[in-house]
Amino acid sequence: MFQRQALVIGNSNYEAIPRKPCVNDANDMCLALRSIGFLTHCATDLDSYQMGKRTNRFAQSIEPNSLVIFYFSGLGVQYNDFNYLIPTDNAQINSGNIKEDAINVENFIDTMRSKAPRAIIVILDCCRPHRELGRQMPFFDRQTLGLLQGLAPVRPPPSTIIAYSGAEGAPITSLIIKGRNSIFTHHLLRHITTPNVDVDTMLRRVSSNVQQETRNRQIPIRYSNVYENVCLVPTGSFQNNPMWNYGMQLKQPFGVRDYQSSSTPYLSNIFPLQLNYFQQKFTQPVVMSRRYIASQAHQQPHVTRRRRNRSAIPSVNHF
């Protein structure tokens, strides 16, 4: 029904060492994407259950042949050659539950690809935790758990672009801040709304600006498997509308945090059907994991139920 969708997540309020610019990054990126016509769902400071719910709902809302962007600003690690995006309740994450409580980037991309979009653009402005966390949480003990510096290299599937704010395996222990944003997102916001520029070219410009300003202390990298020109802003499409002009003034306060704020006059007039469909998708029930159901079972008061005669009821496997 609509062709341009985005999910933006920013986690700052971590239980161990908060990341101040990440929520600003997400809010500003959300505003920039909406200003160029992306129907964007923005969420900040998500715990493990909320991150799983939001990513699952977004993946289910993707329409065939759509252009999809996923942006994340926060804590990211690699474990056993897989990349994981860490929720705010990181003090509860350990080697036994990281696969359930953190978002596996590769699996999430595969889930989005199952909806047959035209192209997927994944932008990860992540950093590895400070070394001091190794003394606070067993999960960050690299010797026993195999946790490595930075994000792991990936082989993007077809029609997919993956961009890292730093080179794979780079020992980035903190986000280099430029004003209210990380330096990578600061330059990304400058270029992502440029009309008639291919995504690969845009990301090259961002990488060049970051390398020059940090004197090669931070080197963004991208993996591309897209063999067509993908322009986020076609020439003359959005420059004349007020939302696009407002989006260029990134120093203005921005408090929009979820998809409900997409019902601005501009978006409501241009995308009424798409907006209603998008909201409907995000209010559908979500299939809960076995682990979450088990964790909630002991919190429910025990109610004695009358046993039924199950001989006449066929058995059904719900999982």
Side-chain angles (χ1 to χ4, degrees), residues 3-215:
Q3 303 296 324
R4 302 158 72 83
Q5 302 173 245
L7 173 62
V8 176
I9 297 178
N11 286 342
S12 289
N13 192 25
Y14 284 100
E15 294 178 353
I17 306 184
R19 311 283 173 170
K20 293 183 179 180
C22 297
V23 168
N24 294 336
D25 292 343
N27 287 334
D28 293 345
M29 183 58 60
C30 178
L31 178 59
L33 291 175
R34 285 172 176 165
S35 71
I36 58 176
F38 274 83
L39 211 54
T40 306
H41 178 72
C42 181
T44 58
D45 288 334
L46 303 181
D47 60 24
S48 57
Y49 170 68
Q50 292 171 336
M51 280 189 67
K53 181 176 68 174
R54 299 297 179 94
T55 53
N56 182 41
R57 282 181 169 175
F58 177 75
Q60 298 304 318
S61 71
I62 294 176
E63 288 296 298
N65 200 36
S66 59
L67 179 58
V68 177
I69 292 181
F70 171 61
Y71 171 89
F72 177 81
S73 178
L75 187 61
V77 298
Q78 61 168 301
Y79 179 67
N80 287 348
D81 296 327
F82 288 98
N83 295 309
Y84 292 91
L85 307 180
I86 307 300
T88 55
D89 53 345
N90 55 343
Q92 307 298 326
I93 295 178
N94 54 55
S95 60
N97 62 18
I98 183 175
K99 295 181 180 180
E100 292 80 16
D101 287 349
I103 300 300
N104 186 307
V105 176
E106 289 82 353
N107 291 346
F108 181 47
I109 293 175
D110 290 340
T111 303
M112 291 190 292
R113 286 191 64 247
S114 66
K115 297 297 181 177
R118 174 189 172 189
I120 298 175
I121 303 169
V122 178
I123 303 174
L124 304 179
D125 193 356
C126 300
C127 61
R128 190 197 180 278
H130 292 273
R131 294 182 179 180
E132 287 75 7
L133 292 181
R135 306 187 186 98
Q136 301 176 18
M137 293 179 291
F139 170 70
F140 295 113
D141 185 353
R142 292 185 293 145
Q143 294 182 352
T144 58
L145 298 178
L147 182 66
L148 300 178
Q149 296 269 10
L151 297 176
V154 295
R155 178 176 297 177
S159 301
T160 304
I161 298 174
I162 303 174
Y164 293 169
S165 61
E168 71 274 8
I172 300 176
T173 56
S174 64
L175 296 173
I176 300 177
I177 300 175
K178 177 75 173 180
R180 60 180 270 116
N181 304 112
S182 72
I183 191 168
F184 176 80
T185 298
H186 170 78
H187 288 289
L188 181 62
L189 290 169
R190 293 179 56 227
H191 293 285
I192 198 169
T193 54
T194 305
N196 202 30
V197 175
D198 178 66
V199 173
D200 281 320
T201 301
M202 182 268 294
L203 292 174
R204 281 197 297 268
R205 294 177 180 177
V206 173
S207 178
S208 176
N209 292 154
V210 172
Q211 291 183 63
Q212 292 177 5
E213 190 159 349
T214 63
R215 298 182 180 179

Side-chain angles (χ1 to χ4, degrees), residues 11 29 84 180 227 239 270 283 287 293 304:
N11 286 342
M29 183 58 60
Y84 292 91
R180 60 180 270 116
Y227 297 99
Q239 293 90 324
I270 301 301
T283 55
V287 178
I293 295 175
T304 303

